[in-house]
Amino acid sequence: MADNTIKSRIYNAIWDDIIDGVYDWNYVFNEKNLVEMYQVSKSPVRDALLELCKDNILRSIPRYGYEIVRIPEKQLREMIEMRVMIETSSIRKCFPHLQQKEFDAIRDANLRSRLLLMDKGSTARQLWEDNMQFHRQLYSFSNNEFGTTILERCMQMQTMAYVQLYRFTVDSHRVMTTSSHEGIEQLIINGDLEGTVRALERDICSIQPVLFFSEENI
């Protein structure tokens, strides 16, 4: 149990540092350096690295180390297409069964978003995660655990892609304001299924931060 806790801490620390741009995309991780950095034994470090490889965040290079997986812009577009299919299908299925408790959950999510946007100390990561949380909330109404796993996987890899391909800055992410989400909220309350589906698709496809790397650079 202790090893699992240490493994999770190391996994999360490496993941957070990658997303925060601590490491250059050509950086190669190795067990020895990480053991020294975190002052732990080799076993939880190796387990964390293997888990990161399993989640397609790192790639093992025999006798060399672990490098960060690079995601082509084409794959990013495919992730967005997959999210559109998953999320719009979900809202179509659960729409007739949405009640006041779901309306309240959406309203609360949008309230948190507005407060975050008003906070001048908000970071790009916080804005990004807030956007993803709204979509998680909508999808949770479907009660589809397997679909949730797929959606989470898409979001994780999409986060990797955006950090790699685009400037992960507050300015580029303020396009993810609550206005679109509040529009979706109102359409749901009004019982407008087709309008909700169209607005949800536009919202998923509208996140276009400033291009940082071209596909030829990866």
Side-chain angles (χ1 to χ4, degrees), residues 24-217:
D24 182 84
W25 286 93
N26 294 318
Y27 184 83
V28 176
F29 296 87
N30 66 70
E31 293 180 10
K32 181 180 178 181
N33 288 346
L34 292 171
V35 165
E36 293 175 356
M37 179 186 300
Y38 296 110
Q39 294 295 295
V40 296
S41 65
K42 184 179 291 186
S43 179
V45 167
R46 181 181 294 118
D47 289 345
L49 289 169
L50 291 175
E51 192 72 17
L52 286 160
C53 289
K54 179 182 176 182
D55 289 343
N56 204 36
I57 295 169
L58 298 181
R59 181 173 71 90
S60 176
I61 307 174
R63 297 182 298 279
Y64 187 57
Y66 300 81
E67 69 174 8
I68 302 172
V69 170
R70 300 188 178 196
I71 301 173
E73 195 170 2
K74 177 179 180 293
Q75 190 172 347
L76 171 58
R77 292 194 295 270
E78 291 171 349
M79 291 174 198
I80 294 173
E81 290 174 5
M82 178 60 70
R83 281 192 56 197
V84 168
M85 287 188 286
I86 293 172
E87 295 184 52
T88 57
S89 295
S90 169
I91 201 67
R92 283 187 181 281
K93 179 180 179 180
C94 69
F95 199 88
H97 311 293
L98 299 181
Q99 299 178 0
Q100 190 61 47
K101 66 176 182 178
E102 284 81 22
F103 300 159
D104 291 342
I106 299 171
R107 186 179 301 110
D108 289 345
N110 281 333
L111 175 59
R112 289 192 296 270
S113 296
R114 285 196 298 274
L115 293 174
L116 185 63
L117 282 167
M118 290 169 62
D119 183 356
K120 294 182 179 179
S122 298
T123 66
R125 274 194 67 187
Q126 287 174 320
L127 294 172
W128 171 264
E129 179 58 29
D130 179 69
N131 182 278
M132 296 298 101
Q133 190 57 38
F134 176 82
H135 290 272
R136 290 188 186 98
Q137 182 69 70
L138 282 186
Y139 192 81
S140 71
F141 301 151
S142 69
N143 293 313
N144 187 323
E145 294 183 5
F146 183 73
T148 298
T149 301
I150 296 174
L151 182 60
E152 285 294 340
R153 173 70 171 154
C154 256
M155 287 180 172
Q156 183 182 54
M157 298 310 296
Q158 190 178 1
T159 302
M160 281 278 290
Y162 272 112
V163 173
Q164 177 183 323
L165 293 168
Y166 301 101
R167 293 188 185 277
F168 207 61
T169 67
V170 172
D171 287 343
S172 65
H173 284 73
R174 285 205 180 277
V175 296
M176 293 177 280
T177 63
T178 58
S179 58
S180 176
H181 294 172
E182 289 172 344
I184 292 172
E185 174 190 340
Q186 194 57 55
L187 287 164
I188 290 174
I189 292 173
N190 292 344
D192 185 349
L193 171 58
E194 293 307 321
T196 299
V197 169
R198 289 192 297 271
L200 180 58
E201 180 172 356
R202 284 196 302 270
D203 185 64
I204 296 169
C205 296
S206 67
I207 306 170
Q208 298 294 335
V210 179
L211 187 62
F212 188 32
F213 294 109
S214 67
E215 199 160 350
E216 289 75 17
N217 294 130

